[in-house]
Amino acid sequence: MPDHFLGTPATAPGPLGPEMLKDFALIRRNPLEFLFKSWRTHGDVIQFPIPKPPTYLVNSPTGVRQVLVNNAKNYDKLTIQYRALSLVTGNGLLTANTDLWRERRPIIQPAFHQKVLDNLIPVTRRAADRMLSDIEGEVAGSVTDIDQFMLNAALEVVGEFLFGSDLSEDANAITAATLEALEIVIKRARVPLSPPKAVPTPGNRVLKRSLRTLDAAVSSIVKSRESVNPKTNPQEVSNLVDLLLAARRDGRIDLDGIRDEIVTFIIAGHETVASALSWSIALLAAHPEKQNRVAEEARGSSGQTIDSKIAQMPYTQAVFNETLRLYPPAWLITRKAIDADCIDGHDIPAGALVITSPALLHQHPDIWSDPDAFNPERFLDSYPRESFIPFGAGLRQCIGKDFAYVEGVMILASLCERLEFAFPAGEGLPASDPLVTIRPVGGVKLRANRRS
Ligand code: HEM
């Protein structure tokens, strides 16, 4: 271990400058693979040869917990990852730093209360039915890209449940704008010296166009709910947009803030769930006996509340969990250390960038046996909850976690109950591309046949 990286004291092992330079193409092409390689070569706490900010990868179960939970107050979100994302989302709940987050979370939290989430069951059922008839409308047995259906269904659910809006007509445009905008965000996050947003580079032009589409969707969502007045019809104030508009009337948020929250929820609640669902179906297509088990379980379930619904489908939930373990959509969680800290005996200076990754922790051999295998059964018994972090952990844990389980489990069950998915002959799981979420390269192209 060297003493210094260009004047920054080295406090943990890690790749040296020449090794990192050799991996430059890999870092650009697949940063997750680079993190895996660094972890496997250098260990659980690594320092990269980057002086400003000093940059660490933490992948010990104790270290990750310290950053996200036990000493979370020492870590904020002022990192390149969240700065890049905020080009699209502005200062919404996901990217907000601590003070703003404290103001916003109480405004938004009621939209996710358990009782409210029971209403998600019929909304998800409608989206699943529509998706089923769309898939069945394609020629039976022909190859179809399941990923595209998942993206549109997930958007439909967010639109109806959180915004009280039917986004299905504009689903393709909004989905395309989201994916395009996020792709630009990723390109910027991978190249720290990107030109500012105002410079008309090809990437910035695409970003501007995508933002126009998203902003137009936001305007029409806000317009459609503005007429709901909580004083005259309080029973109708239920969804996220209603809560935000009510907070605006009290002076707790302005219109720009509302825009940022709506875009945040389109982004955070849409592609994440769709990715998890696409990978789930892909893994089930690769494991027909497990797919049959999901289909059997779906036939017997009829719960009307979230608790009863999920409790009746433990195997389907285990499949969803195992997919989130292998392909955690939010594969990167970064923080900036406010004050100096010490992680597993390594000094972390104030201002350091600390990188953690659910994808890496979910492969830790001290925690998970046979970590590469698709084995949903591991989630049927007790499992290491503290090291299963697809939704993050601690105060900034995902607000949409329960939402994602209801939607994920119900859509998986509905699809497998009616259809049987298989890869075309000679094909298997797609390669993965770690963009903002872990995306299947080229989609998930499967044959879908009606179950007998
Ligand atoms: C499988 C699906 C999902 C995954 C894997 C996921 C993952 C995550 C993770 C890892 C975080 C924490 C980020 C951090 O600590 O830096 C997070 C936060 C967040 N997620 Fe999710 N998410 C999912 C679904 C959803 C849904 C459905 C919604 C909304 C409907 C949502 C909205 C949010 C928001 C607003 C935050 C910020 C919460 C806060 O800081 O208070 N997510 N998500």
Side-chain angles (χ1 to χ4, degrees):
M1 187 166 93
D3 289 343
H4 288 86
F5 293 129
L6 300 175
T8 297
T11 59
L16 299 180
E19 191 182 337
M20 191 107 168
L21 274 180
K22 243 184 16 220
D23 276 332
F24 188 68
L26 176 62
I27 296 170
R28 296 286 305 272
R29 184 171 48 78
N30 192 328
L32 179 55
E33 203 177 310
F34 170 72
L35 292 182
F36 265 114
K37 183 177 169 192
S38 305
W39 166 51
R40 292 197 164 119
T41 312
H42 298 285
D44 279 352
V45 180
I46 294 173
Q47 184 174 5
F48 294 108
I50 299 170
K52 251 184 133 180
T55 302
Y56 294 79
L57 170 68
V58 173
N59 194 40
S60 69
T62 47
V64 172
R65 197 122 193 108
Q66 182 169 330
V67 173
L68 298 182
V69 185
N70 297 339
N71 197 20
K73 63 177 184 327
N74 188 48
Y75 292 90
D76 67 27
K77 283 202 167 188
L78 299 177
T79 67
I80 179 172
Q81 177 198 11
Y82 287 112
R83 224 175 17 250
L85 196 55
S86 67
L87 284 175
V88 181
T89 63
N91 269 325
L93 199 60
L94 180 59
T95 52
N97 211 14
T98 317
D99 290 346
L100 182 64
W101 175 80
R102 276 190 213 291
E103 287 172 23
R104 292 279 172 82
R105 183 107 182 191
I107 298 175
I108 292 170
Q109 190 72 55
F112 292 88
H113 279 163
Q114 200 72 8
K115 271 260 158 284
V116 180
L117 285 184
D118 283 344
N119 301 331
L120 188 54
I121 293 180
V123 173
T124 305
R125 186 168 296 129
R126 274 195 292 281
D129 284 347
R130 191 200 297 253
M131 174 163 41
L132 274 166
S133 65
D134 286 350
I135 295 176
E136 287 177 330
E138 309 229 335
V139 184
S142 69
V143 176
T144 193
D145 181 5
I146 292 299
D147 189 48
Q148 200 54 47
F149 287 105
M150 296 299 191
L151 282 163
N152 287 353
L155 183 66
E156 190 179 329
V157 173
V158 165
E160 188 174 342
F161 184 77
L162 291 180
F163 311 149
S165 301
D166 181 358
L167 299 183
S168 56
E169 249 182 38
D170 299 324
N172 286 335
I174 297 174
T175 295
T178 308
L179 294 179
E180 263 176 10
L182 293 182
E183 199 177 324
I184 304 295
V185 162
I186 280 296
K187 285 196 180 135
R188 294 182 76 98
R190 287 180 191 176
V191 185
L193 293 178
S194 299
K197 205 163 120 185
V199 179
T201 60
N204 282 346
R205 276 201 294 271
V206 173
L207 182 61
K208 219 165 149 187
R209 193 180 62 211
S210 313
L211 289 178
R212 265 203 306 270
T213 304
L214 291 174
D215 287 347
V218 169
S219 298
S220 91
I221 289 167
V222 168
K223 218 192 267 146
S224 75
R225 299 303 298 181
E226 258 172 346
S227 56
V228 178
N229 185 336
K231 300 230 159 66
T232 50
N233 37 5
Q235 71 288 356
E236 280 193 39
V237 178
S238 53
N239 67 40
L240 174 68
V241 178
D242 297 337
L243 293 169
L244 291 169
L245 289 170
R248 182 175 170 226
R249 289 184 200 102
D250 301 345
R252 288 187 291 150
I253 189 169
D254 60 14
L255 253 191
D256 286 345
I258 293 182
R259 177 264 173 217
D260 290 351
E261 292 305 350
I262 294 178
V263 173
T264 291
F265 278 88
I266 290 178
I267 289 196
H270 166 206
E271 200 197 339
T272 45
V273 179
S275 291
L277 279 166
S278 293
W279 284 113
S280 298
I281 292 286
L283 286 161
L284 289 173
H287 297 86
E289 71 297 346
K290 299 186 197 282
Q291 192 182 153
N292 290 340
R293 199 166 161 190
V294 171
E296 271 162 37
E297 193 174 75
R299 290 200 181 114
S301 92
S302 61
Q304 293 307 315
T305 63
I306 290 177
D307 285 346
S308 60
K309 193 89 198 158
I310 299 279
Q312 284 174 12
M313 293 193 276
Y315 192 74
T316 313
Q317 190 178 1
V319 166
F320 196 59
N321 272 338
E322 180 68 339
T323 306
L324 290 173
R325 187 184 69 78
L326 288 169
Y327 296 94
W331 59 276
L332 186 67
I333 300 180
T334 55
R335 293 290 189 267
K336 190 188 86 184
I338 299 170
D339 290 324
D341 196 4
C342 180
I343 298 181
D344 296 346
H346 300 283
D347 287 329
I348 306 291
L353 171 67
V354 177
I355 300 170
T356 68
S357 168
L360 262 64
L361 191 62
H362 294 172
Q363 289 289 319
H364 206 298
D366 293 354
I367 305 290
W368 305 96
S369 61
D370 206 1
D372 284 335
F374 176 62
N375 179 17
E377 286 73 10
R378 73 173 91 231
F379 282 98
L380 290 177
D381 279 333
S382 66
Y383 60 90
R385 281 172 197 274
E386 292 196 346
S387 296
F388 180 57
I389 56 161
F391 297 96
L395 278 179
R396 301 299 300 258
Q397 196 184 44
C398 180
I399 198 171
K401 181 179 169 192
D402 293 344
F403 182 123
Y405 274 113
V406 175
E407 188 183 351
V409 170
M410 274 190 67
I411 288 185
L412 272 186
S414 310
L415 290 185
C416 294
E417 184 180 5
R418 275 252 289 275
L419 298 172
E420 194 168 5
F421 296 93
F423 283 104
E427 292 190 21
L429 284 175
S432 61
D433 192 5
L435 298 172
V436 167
T437 66
I438 300 188
R439 306 284 304 140
V441 177
V444 175
K445 303 210 173 78
L446 297 172
R447 281 187 204 292
N449 281 306
R450 191 95 198 229
R451 267 183 195 275
S452 43

